[in-house]
Amino acid sequence: MIITQQKGIDEIYNMIKPYSKILIAGCDGCCQPPRSINEAKTLGQLLELKAKTEGKELTWKATTVLRQCDDRIAATSLRPLIQEYDAVVSLACGLGVVMLNKVFEDTLTFPAQESMCGGVQNIGENYFIEYCEECGDCILAQTGGVCPRAGCAKHLSNGPCGGMVDGMCEVGDYTHPCAWVDIWKRLKKFDRLDLFKKYRPPRDWRTSNSPAFITIYKDYTNVEEKEEEAKS
Amino acid sequence: MSNRPAYSNLMKKIKEGHFVFTGELEPKKILDMEEIIHSAKEMKKTKRIVSANVTDGPQGDAYMCSLVPSYLVQRDAEIEAVWQVTVRDRNRVALFGDVLGAAQLGIKNILTLTGDHTALGDHKKGRAVYDIDSTQFCQMLAIMIDEGTDLEGNELKGGKIEMNYGCVANPNSDPREPEILKVGRKVENGVDFIQTQTSFDIEQAKEFLKELEQFNVPVLLGVFPLKSYGIAWYFDNYIPGVSVPKDLLKALKKAEKDNKGDKKGKYAAIDKINIEFFEPFIKEIQKSTKAAGIHCMAVEYERLFEPLLSDFPQYVE
C-alpha cells in the first residue's frame, strides 16, 4: 500500500486560489489511510469555508476514482465531469496526480497529499512501517527477510553502524529498532550467521535511481534455441 | 595484521612495538586555524602522541571539512594527521576524488567511518548520502592502495597510493556480537588499525579488546578525558551508550564548586581528577591487554597531555 499524508488546508487552498470551480477527486486504490469520496467531500467543505473567510465563493464537487493511476479508469471516470471545472484537486498519491495531468492535458490537477512511502505494513490504527523501498536489487535472501535498505536509515549493506544503542537506531531518537540487529537476531535463530558475516560489495544504485524506465516483458522467440540445437 | 607496508608514522611506530598514542582535533564552524594548530603543536611537544585525528562533522553537524585541517596540521604543527572520513556526505565518486587529493597533500592515515546521521546534526533537513557504507569504503581504499585502481578497475596513473587506513569499533555496543562481526568484515577488507569509541569501564574495555584479538589488527582504545563537569554531564546524558562513572561526575562537580572564581585552582583540581582516573586506566590497558595504544580524545584539552602522559616513554622524534 501507499501511505499519504494530507497537506495543510492553507497550502491546498493557495493552490486553487485562482480558480472558482474545482473538482475534488478521491482515489479508491491502494492509498492508506483512505482517500475516497468522504475525504474528498470533507476537503471540499474545508476549502469552501476557507474561501468564505476570504470573501470568495467556491463551487466544488467531490467524486472518486477506482484507481487514479490507471489511465483508462481515470479517463472514463472523470471525462464526463472535468470540463465543467477550472481545476482538479487529487487525493491520490503523486502517481495519481501525474496521471490526471497526463490524461486531462487541458486541466491542471493539484496534489492534496504528501506521498510518504510504499511497501508498508499497517501496525495498529495510525502507525505504518516501511518494509520495502522497491530498490530493484532485492537482498532479502541474505538478510533473513529483513530489508536493510528500507529499514536502515543509512541504507547500510554491512551494518550495524555505531549509532545503534541497545538494538535501537540513532535516527528517531532510539525509538525504532536497528534493522541490522533484527537481521542478526533472525539469522542467528536459524544458525545462518554465515550470511551475516558475508561482505556485500557496493550497491548498484542504477536499479533504484529515478527516473525509472522499465521494460518487464521481452519478445520471445525460439529461433535462437533452434539455431543452438542445430550447432550442437 | 594486514601485510601492507607501514606508510604512516602511526603504523611504523605500531610495527616497531611502541605503545602509541593518538590525539583528536575537532575543526568546527571556524574561520581560522589558530586553536587547532596550537592543540596539534602541544600534541607534538609530548613526543608521545604520534598522530592527531581530525574529525569529519561529528554528531552530523556542518563543520569545516576534515581534509584541509589534516593537511594544515601536518604542515604547520608537523604532526601526522589521521584524516577522518565519513561516508555520510559524499558518494563513491567524491570519496575517490578526495582520497586522491589527500594523497597529493601527503595524508598517510585515513579513519573510515559511517558518520552520525544528518538527522542528529544542525542541518536536519539535509539529505544523507551513504552511497557506499564504511566497509565498502574500506574495500575502495584496499583497491586504491594495493592494486592501484578505482572500484571499477580503472588504473590510477602513476601507480598506487601509499596510505594506511583504519576503522572504528564501539565497546559500548549492545548487543556486542553484530558489532564484532561487522568489524570482521572490515578486517576482511584490509584495515591496518582499529580505533575504538571511548570507554570509562575498564572491565568492559578489557573484555572488548579480548574479543578483537581474533582479528590480529592493532587496536587503539579510545579514552575521553573530561575537561569540565558540563562536558562530562553532556557525555553521560547525550552520547548514546556511554555512561560516565557517577564518582567521576560527582568529583568534577565538586571541583568546580570548590574553586568558584579561581580558574587556576579549578583547572588544577579537574586535571588531578582526570589524571587519577585515566593514568591507572591506561596503565592497566597497557599491562593486561594486547592493545597497541590509546586514542586520547582530549579535544581542546591540550594542557592535560603532558601530566597525563609523563610516565610513558617518549618514542616520537
Side-chain angles (χ1 to χ4, degrees):
Chain A
M1 64 179 75
I2 291 173
I3 303 306
T4 66
Q5 192 168 33
Q6 189 143 312
K7 289 171 178 283
I9 196 70
D10 289 346
E11 188 182 348
I12 302 172
Y13 180 70
N14 282 333
M15 295 176 200
I16 55 117
K17 216 172 176 177
Y19 312 103
S20 54
K21 287 180 80 179
I22 58 161
L23 181 65
I24 304 168
C27 182
D28 294 345
C30 49
C31 285
Q32 279 295 329
R35 305 294 180 199
S36 186
I37 184 72
N38 287 336
E39 290 74 23
K41 183 180 154 199
T42 308
L43 180 60
Q45 289 166 334
L46 285 171
L47 288 171
E48 186 183 347
L49 263 178
K50 178 79 187 162
K52 273 188 182 153
T53 61
E54 299 206 351
K56 288 178 74 175
E57 278 295 317
L58 182 70
T59 304
W60 57 271
K61 182 183 177 75
T63 185
T64 193
V65 179
L66 185 60
R67 281 193 299 276
Q68 286 189 22
C69 55
D70 184 313
D71 54 355
R72 276 164 283 194
I73 293 173
T76 48
S77 309
L78 296 181
R79 186 162 289 135
L81 299 171
I82 205 147
Q83 278 172 352
E84 293 173 37
Y85 295 90
D86 304 333
V88 179
V89 174
S90 163
L91 272 75
C93 70
L95 177 50
V97 179
V98 170
M99 198 55 80
L100 295 194
N101 276 295
K102 283 187 84 69
V103 172
F104 302 108
E105 285 182 344
D106 300 328
T107 307
L108 269 177
T109 296
F110 295 95
Q113 306 293 322
E114 303 293 357
S115 303
M116 307 305 285
C117 54
V120 301
Q121 184 192 5
N122 187 351
I123 296 181
E125 209 165 274
N126 189 25
Y127 186 53
F128 301 90
I129 300 184
E130 185 182 10
Y131 286 138
C132 172
E133 60 170 34
E134 299 97 29
C135 70
D137 183 25
C138 191
I139 62 162
L140 289 168
Q142 296 174 34
T143 56
V146 178
C147 180
R149 286 168 185 171
C152 169
K154 299 179 182 177
H155 306 289
L156 302 185
S157 300
N158 297 285
C161 74
M164 176 273 289
V165 176
D166 295 340
M168 306 303 266
C169 173
E170 69 182 21
V171 177
D173 210 15
Y174 309 99
T175 55
H176 307 301
C178 166
W180 275 101
V181 170
D182 284 353
I183 291 167
W184 165 72
K185 281 183 191 161
R186 185 104 179 117
L187 293 174
K188 195 175 168 76
K189 181 178 169 183
F190 292 99
D191 198 18
R192 290 304 309 272
L193 285 180
D194 57 310
L195 291 173
F196 190 88
K197 288 178 193 166
K198 187 176 143 70
Y199 166 65
R200 283 158 281 274
R203 170 176 173 182
D204 182 350
W205 285 88
R206 289 176 299 181
T207 58
S208 54
N209 281 349
S210 295
F213 307 99
I214 302 158
T215 312
I216 299 283
Y217 302 109
K218 295 193 175 88
D219 290 340
Y220 178 74
T221 169
N222 64 354
V223 173
E224 282 169 21
E225 271 177 25
K226 283 193 169 168
E227 280 173 1
E228 284 293 313
E229 275 172 27
K231 270 186 208 167
S232 59
Chain B
M1 203 185 302
S2 105
N3 292 325
R4 191 173 298 129
Y7 295 115
S8 68
N9 292 338
L10 171 64
M11 283 313 297
K12 281 176 193 157
K13 294 297 173 195
I14 291 173
K15 287 198 171 173
E16 284 167 16
H18 297 286
F19 188 73
V20 300
F21 291 90
T22 50
E24 187 153 304
L25 300 164
E26 195 173 301
K28 295 184 177 172
K29 293 185 201 294
I30 52 170
L31 289 179
D32 76 67
M33 291 291 298
E34 200 179 321
E35 282 179 24
I36 298 278
I37 298 295
H38 169 72
S39 196
K41 281 182 175 168
E42 292 300 306
M43 289 181 195
K44 168 88 178 168
K45 260 192 222 166
T46 65
K47 299 193 175 186
R48 297 174 181 96
I49 299 177
V50 60
S51 310
N53 283 48
V54 181
T55 57
D56 181 17
Q59 277 93 53
D61 286 338
Y63 287 160
M64 181 189 273
C65 80
S66 52
L67 177 55
V68 171
S70 293
Y71 165 69
L72 290 175
V73 300
Q74 292 198 163
R75 190 191 70 179
D76 297 344
E78 294 177 349
I79 185 167
E80 184 179 82
V82 177
W83 174 39
Q84 293 197 182
V85 185
T86 72
V87 296
R88 176 191 56 222
D89 311 316
R90 278 155 290 190
N91 71 0
R92 66 191 80 182
V93 180
L95 288 166
F96 174 80
D98 283 358
V99 171
L100 272 191
Q104 266 317 295
L105 293 177
I107 302 297
K108 292 292 175 196
N109 297 298
I110 298 182
L111 183 70
T112 58
L113 301 112
T114 308
D116 297 318
H117 199 280
T118 44
L120 275 63
D122 56 10
H123 286 63
K124 298 187 195 310
K125 296 172 195 164
R127 178 173 182 165
V129 178
Y130 301 114
D131 166 22
I132 55 174
D133 63 31
S134 53
T135 315
Q136 294 161 346
F137 185 34
C138 289
Q139 188 205 0
M140 177 199 270
L141 291 170
I143 291 172
M144 290 176 81
I145 296 167
D146 302 332
E147 293 167 31
T149 74
D150 65 14
L151 270 172
E152 299 295 331
N154 303 303
E155 276 185 22
L156 308 182
K157 220 175 183 180
K160 303 167 183 176
I161 58 166
E162 297 187 344
M163 283 190 190
N164 295 109
Y165 62 94
C167 70
V168 291
N170 188 357
N172 309 296
S173 59
D174 182 19
R176 169 90 48 88
E177 190 182 8
E179 174 73 9
I180 298 286
L181 296 176
K182 174 192 75 179
V183 172
R185 293 191 210 108
K186 294 186 180 185
V187 172
E188 195 187 307
N189 281 287
V191 295
D192 293 296
F193 62 91
I194 297 170
Q195 286 179 313
T196 81
Q197 175 59 283
T198 184
S199 175
F200 292 94
D201 180 340
I202 190 84
E203 290 311 316
Q204 179 202 51
K206 280 159 75 171
E207 204 181 285
F208 189 62
L209 288 164
K210 185 91 199 146
E211 284 192 63
L212 291 178
E213 277 177 21
Q214 59 180 300
F215 299 125
N216 196 24
V217 170
V219 182
L220 281 74
L221 181 78
V223 299
F224 192 97
L226 299 157
K227 195 182 168 186
S228 68
Y229 170 70
I231 289 175
W233 181 88
Y234 179 87
F235 222 81
D236 194 42
N237 286 281
Y238 288 101
I239 302 295
V242 181
S243 55
V244 179
K246 296 284 162 272
D247 291 351
L248 205 52
L249 277 168
K250 230 190 259 172
L252 287 165
K253 196 175 185 180
K254 188 172 179 297
E256 291 192 1
K257 207 176 153 195
D258 292 351
N259 292 282
K260 224 173 181 179
D262 174 13
K263 203 169 152 188
K264 246 184 169 176
K266 187 175 86 178
Y267 281 0
I270 286 178
D271 293 356
K272 188 166 175 276
I273 293 164
N274 274 295
I275 291 161
E276 281 174 2
F277 183 84
F278 287 108
E279 198 183 56
F281 188 103
I282 295 170
K283 283 181 177 167
E284 175 64 17
I285 293 293
Q286 185 180 18
K287 195 184 87 183
S288 61
T289 76
K290 288 187 179 163
I294 295 291
H295 176 51
C296 182
M297 292 177 252
V299 178
E300 292 170 20
Y301 191 11
E302 50 275 359
R303 67 169 190 271
L304 190 74
F305 295 145
E306 195 53 49
L308 178 64
L309 305 181
S310 59
D311 268 9
F312 297 91
Q314 293 183 319
Y315 63 93
V316 186
E317 297 76 30

